[in-house]
Structure formats: C-alpha cells, structure tokens
Amino acid sequence: MPTESCGISQTASSKDQTKAFRFSLLSIITLRSVTSFNTTLTDYWGRALSFQLINATDGGPAYTMSSIADAANFANGLIPMPIMLSDSRRPGQVLIASNTTIVEFNPWEMGSWDPSLFGFSPMKYVGSNFSNGVLPDGEPCIAGFDNIGFTYGTSSTLFNQIVLQFNRTVNLPSFIENGIQDILNDFGQSNNDISDWSPNPFKGYNPGSNVFAGTDQLFLVDGGEDNENIPLHPLIQPLRKVDVIVAIDSSADTTYNWPNGSSLVATYERSLNSTLGLNTHPVFFGCNSSNSTNALGNVPSPLIVYLPNAPYSFYSNVSTFNLSMSSLNLQEL
C-alpha cells in the first residue's frame, strides 16, 4: 500500500530506491574522502546528477570522462564529442570575474586555451600529483578521479551563487536574514561551495603566466558564472577549425527569465535594441566572415546559428534556481 508524506504518494518500491540512492551517495563520497581527496558540496551534487543522467546501476559510479574515449561508438564517430566547461575561482573568492580562466573537460584532457594557463592535463590521470607538467619519480598514477558525475557537477556547481543571490531572492526579517547570510559567507570562505580538483594538475606549470602555478588546489565553478552561458569558448578556437556552431541560449537574463543575448559578446549591443528582436528568433552570425581575423590568419571564422529560448510552443522561461518542475510549469501557448 502506498503511504502519504507531505502530499506526495510514495510506494514501498520508491522508498527503497530513495534509501538506495542516499546510501550510494553517502558511500561514494565517504570513499572519496578516506582516499585523502578533498570533498565539497559538488561531490554530492555530481553523484545526485549521475542517478538522473547516467543509465546505469547506482548512477554508474565507475564511469569516467576519459572512458568515453575507449567506447567503440565514440571511436567510430557515431556519437558527438562531449566538451564541458567550468570557470576558475581563487580561494576565498565569491564573485567570478569576466576574464576568469575557463577550464575545458573532454574525453582526452582537461585544461584551458586562455593565456593565463594555456595547457592541458591527461583526463585519465588528473588525480595524480603532477608538478611542472610531469609526474615526479615515485609518484603513483591515479585514475578514476575524472568520475563523469563529478565532471557534470563541476560544470554546473552554482552553490557560491547562493551567497550572491540570497539578498535578492529572499524576504525575511532582517535578524534572520543576517544570520543566514553569515552562515552562507562562512560556507563560501571555507571553500565548500566549489568543485575542488586537487591536487592541482597545473601546479608549477608555466609559472610565467599560469595564475595557478603556485597553488596546491584548483577550484572550479559553473561554466556560466562569467556570464558566458553559451559554451562557445572551446569551439571558436582557430586550431579546432569549426565550421558551424549551433548555439542554444536558455539564459534567464530578463525579469521573466528569457535570454536577452548578453551571452554573445559580439552581439551585446544589438540584443539591447528592441527593434532588432534578435533575442526572439533564430539568427545566423558570421555569414560574411571576410572582415574577421583570428590567430592563424587563414582559418575562417565559424558560422554561429543562434537559437535563443523564446515562447515558440510553451513558456519555458524557468530559472536555474527553480529546484522542481511539473507539467504546470509548461503552459502551452
């Protein structure tokens, strides 16, 4: 017989699944902790995402980002190449600068094209204790750190934004609000609101420009916190020679959670012009790239097909901070 709890009907089977989920979540994080790796909220978030996004028992705890490269369908070009992004954050920092170092994850490596780092580490061994781009003699090769759920979590960890958004999203008595704000600030200062990729795979590497060369830890957060919600960065690199980019913008820039085009820096001014309406229908940018330049000089710029979220068939203007969804949220036009 189903039991009622908080207005939600839950069967015995779903209860068992919930218990299994919680046990698996706790056990995996505990294992990571006892193996001397630092854990933060992102570890729990990544495991929770795995249960929803990975079609495997217990969310596929053994699945890694680098294991994708060994899959036959990937090697044969039958599935797309996944690339995920995150922004770097200095210890104790809350705000993310617009020029922060963008870190990329793909099945072979992680790293950045930015001049502030301009280096990559082998994805399979990112948990190893690298120094100046190599693994010192006597240091073991660590594999499995690149758990794919942890990578999902890193690319979407927004817990530091709770601190920034709190004053704008709550309406409580001042003494309660101040108390909660103090707790959130302490949480951020203890660096538990980020994703901790330690040991830092780029320690000692390229110290002349690498801002992380002198740190043991590499802190990463959601890849859209520098306001670049569309992950164009790895695709516009001249060395990748991309021809066409289909950019889907589901940003919540406006009061009613629609994109306004601000994620496209090149079209920022035009997105604010209501007569153009570039934020309400598909737009092609770069059809005539003869006046564009790039680092290689002879590589044409990619065509960007910009698809902003708009009420094409239903009102899909839902903020990232909306923690639950139902059919009532999707009002058809």
Side-chain angles (χ1 to χ4, degrees):
M1 293 290 291
T3 58
E4 298 292 329
S5 175
C6 299
I8 301 175
S9 178
Q10 186 177 49
T11 64
S13 176
S14 64
K15 278 185 173 181
D16 293 339
Q17 291 175 352
T18 300
K19 289 180 180 178
F21 165 72
R22 291 174 178 171
F23 176 77
S24 176
L25 196 67
L26 183 60
S27 61
I28 293 297
I29 304 305
T30 301
L31 177 63
R32 181 179 168 91
S33 181
V34 298
T35 53
S36 75
F37 292 113
N38 296 334
T39 58
T40 68
L41 266 178
T42 303
D43 292 271
Y44 295 92
W45 172 238
R47 287 298 302 137
L49 287 176
S50 297
F51 276 82
Q52 306 298 322
L53 301 177
I54 300 176
N55 185 22
T57 303
D58 293 336
Y63 286 21
T64 60
M65 190 71 177
S66 55
S67 66
I68 296 174
D70 300 325
N73 53 358
F74 179 79
N76 293 327
L78 301 178
I79 60 175
M81 173 182 165
I83 302 177
M84 287 180 273
L85 297 185
S86 63
D87 291 338
S88 64
R89 195 190 86 170
R90 297 294 187 92
Q93 190 181 46
V94 176
L95 290 171
I96 305 299
S98 59
N99 64 345
T100 190
T101 300
I102 297 175
V103 175
E104 168 189 322
F105 304 96
N106 65 57
W108 296 288
E109 57 193 2
M110 71 166 289
S112 179
W113 301 87
D114 290 341
S116 54
L117 179 56
F118 203 65
F120 288 82
S121 177
M123 196 76 216
K124 186 174 182 179
Y125 301 112
V126 290
S128 306
N129 195 15
F130 287 96
S131 177
N132 193 23
V134 299
L135 198 62
D137 293 338
E139 285 286 346
C141 287
I142 305 296
F145 187 94
D146 61 321
N147 173 273
I148 196 166
F150 183 55
T151 311
Y152 288 160
T154 298
S155 184
S156 61
T157 183
L158 277 166
F159 297 107
N160 65 312
Q161 285 293 319
I162 296 175
V163 179
L164 301 177
Q165 298 288 337
F166 181 76
N167 288 331
R168 299 181 230 168
T169 57
V170 301
N171 184 18
L172 298 172
S174 59
F175 72 95
I176 296 179
E177 186 174 320
N178 291 338
I180 295 176
Q181 186 69 65
D182 289 341
I183 294 173
L184 291 175
N185 287 335
D186 290 341
F187 189 72
Q189 290 171 7
S190 62
N191 295 311
N192 282 316
D193 60 338
I194 46 79
S195 181
D196 191 345
W197 284 70
S198 302
N200 175 14
F202 305 105
K203 182 179 180 181
Y205 174 75
N206 196 14
S209 61
N210 178 13
V211 296
F212 307 106
T215 63
D216 294 320
Q217 297 170 301
L218 178 63
F219 293 161
L220 302 175
V221 295
D222 182 286
E225 289 200 32
D226 61 347
N227 294 323
E228 294 185 65
N229 279 347
I230 304 176
L232 294 174
H233 187 75
L235 303 179
I236 60 176
Q237 302 302 323
L239 290 173
R240 281 206 161 118
K241 301 180 181 180
V242 174
D243 295 318
V244 179
I245 301 171
V246 178
I248 300 174
D249 191 356
S250 294
S251 305
D253 299 319
T254 69
T255 302
Y256 297 103
N257 296 328
W258 297 110
N260 67 1
S262 59
S263 58
L264 287 172
V265 178
T267 60
Y268 176 71
E269 293 295 337
R270 282 186 250 180
S271 72
L272 298 181
N273 190 333
S274 59
T275 61
L276 290 177
L278 299 182
N279 62 324
T280 61
H281 57 76
V283 182
F284 287 72
F285 292 106
C287 294
N288 181 6
S289 59
S290 60
N291 61 346
S292 64
T293 58
N294 55 63
L296 298 185
N298 59 348
V299 179
S301 300
L303 171 69
I304 297 179
V305 182
Y306 178 63
L307 302 176
N309 185 29
Y312 302 118
S313 58
F314 60 85
Y315 293 103
S316 53
N317 50 326
V318 180
S319 170
T320 300
F321 293 98
N322 186 359
L323 300 182
S324 64
M325 287 288 293
S326 73
S327 58
L328 296 177
N329 293 114
L330 306 178
Q331 302 177 29
E332 292 187 4
L333 293 176

